[in-house]
Amino acid sequence: MQRYAQVIQLRAEDEAEYIRYHADVWPGVLERIADCGIRNYSIFLRNGVLFAYFEYHGTDYEADMLKMAADPETQRWWKIMDPMQAQMPDALPGEKWSPLREVFHFDGPPVK
């Protein structure tokens, strides 16, 4: 399992709409996310910055991300979401969600 964290800016004028869509994500989009090995996926919002965290349980991340990007339902979802988002000021050319580097992780003892 590999943990991923990413950030992107949310356009202020689209905040309510973005939250509304994510309160009821389309089943086909959720199915594709699961089919691509993603679990424990969360998106958080603070001061116009979206922070996404997920765990990848597959064996070929790049291939699974290409599979997700080729899915028509996911493409339709992204066509709605993309205009609501803006790259981070320090994003690399062509970078959508900017990856974060993990510098600390602690699972702790098993929960009893």
Side-chain angles (χ1 to χ4, degrees):
M1 184 270 296
Q2 177 66 44
R3 290 179 295 278
Y4 286 86
Q6 306 167 319
V7 291
I8 198 168
Q9 293 184 320
L10 179 63
R11 297 182 194 284
E13 64 272 18
D14 294 316
E15 182 175 317
E17 187 79 351
Y18 188 88
I19 291 169
R20 184 181 68 76
Y21 268 99
H22 283 82
D24 190 23
V25 177
W26 305 340
V29 171
L30 295 176
E31 288 171 21
R32 179 57 64 203
I33 290 169
D35 289 346
C36 290
I38 293 176
R39 302 292 185 274
N40 197 21
Y41 186 10
S42 298
I43 300 175
F44 300 88
L45 174 63
R46 181 179 171 96
N47 296 328
V49 176
L50 293 167
F51 165 79
Y53 170 85
F54 60 89
E55 296 167 353
Y56 177 67
H57 291 263
T59 58
D60 189 339
Y61 181 77
E62 289 76 22
D64 281 328
M65 295 306 99
L66 289 172
K67 180 171 124 180
M68 184 180 300
D71 177 60
E73 186 79 346
T74 300
Q75 290 175 4
R76 194 165 68 93
W77 177 266
W78 287 348
K79 188 173 181 178
I80 297 166
M81 296 304 116
D82 286 353
M84 297 184 196
Q85 302 166 344
Q87 290 179 304
M88 297 299 291
D90 62 345
L92 300 174
E95 185 176 75
K96 186 176 169 185
W97 283 79
S98 296
L100 300 175
R101 182 171 53 110
E102 184 175 308
V103 296
F104 176 78
H105 176 80
F106 175 69
D107 278 328
V111 178
K112 296 179 182 181

